[in-house]
Amino acid sequence: MKNPGEAAEPPSVDDVQLKVPVLQQLYHWDCGLACSRMVLQYMNLLNDDEFQKAIQDLQLTKSIWTIDLAYLMRHFGVKHRFCTQTLGVDKGYRNQSFYRKHFDTEENRVNQLFAQAKACKVAVEKCTVTIQDIQEHLARGHAAIVLVNAVLLLCDLCASPVKHCCFLPIGQKCFCRSPDYQGHFIVLCGYSKASGSIYYNNPAYADRTCSTSINNFEEARTSYGTDEDILFVYRDS
């Protein structure tokens, strides 16, 4: 996987740690927006007033899909590439507890966004992404937003895992049962080939960069429900 215009030979870097700021989500549903804010701030493009206006202009509500984040990057003029396994909504998600509540109202909206992507200059592609592709991207100083199954993603550095059931702000009680799938966005910000680790910012936290094994990361990002969604963003926007 090569981005048009980039050098044919990727840099050979064994350890990458990008200084992507850690910003915490405010609600149980806005992890994707928090990740977008991290990426925009990393590129010195974040203005809170403009960001709020963009959310209103794009009519982003409590159901955020990866295609929404791609439109958000386009809104800010950020060079991006959204890779996915499904160009639209997988009808099989109708029966998943994570998607069921908003599925009927969201299906047409999301499919329409995919249909209009090319005309709106939103870069979407159906393709398979390898861990090597991801590492090459990070080695060039670019970050990426990835949809993972939070039930499966385990940080090697955190003493106790985040309650994957809802990511509620501190002080709010959770009454959820542990689901099979819990969609959650994270920002990739580095890797270590020596330890076989991937570094990422989890918007459920405000004070740390997390790390997991490549095997665990691959399991979480390719889980059924994610469509293997990954939004590559480029600093040379």
Side-chain angles (χ1 to χ4, degrees):
M1 184 203 75
K2 292 183 177 63
N3 185 59
E6 288 195 333
E9 290 297 323
S12 179
V13 182
D14 292 333
D15 191 282
V16 172
Q17 295 189 53
L18 307 180
K19 294 183 179 179
V20 179
V22 182
L23 300 175
Q24 191 171 28
Q25 62 194 86
L26 301 177
Y27 311 100
H28 70 280
W29 55 267
D30 68 334
C31 54
L33 297 182
C35 288
S36 298
R37 288 171 60 88
M38 291 188 221
V39 168
L40 290 171
Q41 185 165 318
Y42 175 61
M43 296 188 289
N44 296 316
L45 295 174
L46 180 62
N47 176 288
D48 287 334
D49 291 338
E50 290 181 9
F51 192 81
Q52 292 303 319
K53 184 178 185 302
I55 291 174
Q56 294 175 357
D57 290 346
L58 295 172
Q59 298 180 340
L60 301 183
T61 57
K62 293 184 178 182
S63 181
I64 305 292
W65 295 62
T66 317
I67 187 69
D68 290 312
L69 305 185
Y71 272 81
L72 189 57
M73 291 300 117
R74 170 60 187 152
H75 184 95
F76 282 95
V78 173
K79 185 179 176 183
H80 63 279
R81 185 181 183 212
F82 170 26
C83 296
T84 182
Q85 291 295 304
T86 308
L87 297 175
V89 176
D90 185 334
K91 289 186 178 294
Y93 294 166
R94 183 188 301 274
N95 298 319
Q96 277 203 331
S97 59
F98 179 78
Y99 288 103
R100 190 179 301 134
K101 181 179 179 181
H102 297 287
F103 190 90
D104 290 334
T105 56
E106 288 290 278
E107 183 180 16
N108 289 338
R109 182 187 75 83
V110 172
N111 284 337
Q112 189 173 17
L113 289 177
F114 273 96
Q116 296 173 343
K118 186 175 182 179
C120 294
K121 297 183 179 179
V122 174
V124 182
E125 185 178 342
K126 182 179 180 179
C127 60
T128 297
V129 175
T130 67
I131 192 65
Q132 289 76 24
D133 295 329
I134 293 171
Q135 289 174 333
E136 289 175 14
H137 181 78
L138 294 169
R140 297 181 191 277
H142 309 309
I145 299 174
V146 182
L147 179 62
V148 297
N149 182 352
V151 177
L152 299 177
L153 188 67
L154 302 173
C155 177
D156 295 330
L157 304 178
C158 296
S160 59
V162 180
K163 288 183 178 179
H164 58 251
C165 52
C166 50
F167 299 98
L168 288 174
I170 295 172
Q172 295 189 31
K173 292 183 179 180
C174 173
F175 301 99
C176 310
R177 293 181 179 178
S178 298
D180 295 325
Y181 172 78
Q182 178 73 25
H184 188 57
F185 289 105
I186 60 173
V187 178
L188 301 188
C189 56
Y191 64 85
S192 170
K193 289 187 178 180
S195 63
S197 301
I198 288 287
Y199 304 132
Y200 62 95
N201 289 352
N202 185 342
Y205 294 119
D207 59 352
R208 72 196 72 180
T209 291
C210 291
S211 173
T212 191
S213 68
I214 287 176
N215 287 340
N216 179 249
F217 169 67
E218 288 289 87
E219 182 184 14
R221 83 171 181 93
T222 61
S223 171
Y224 181 70
T226 67
D227 288 321
E228 299 185 25
D229 284 3
I230 181 167
L231 179 59
F232 293 103
V233 292
Y234 301 86
R235 293 191 73 180
D236 50 347
S237 298

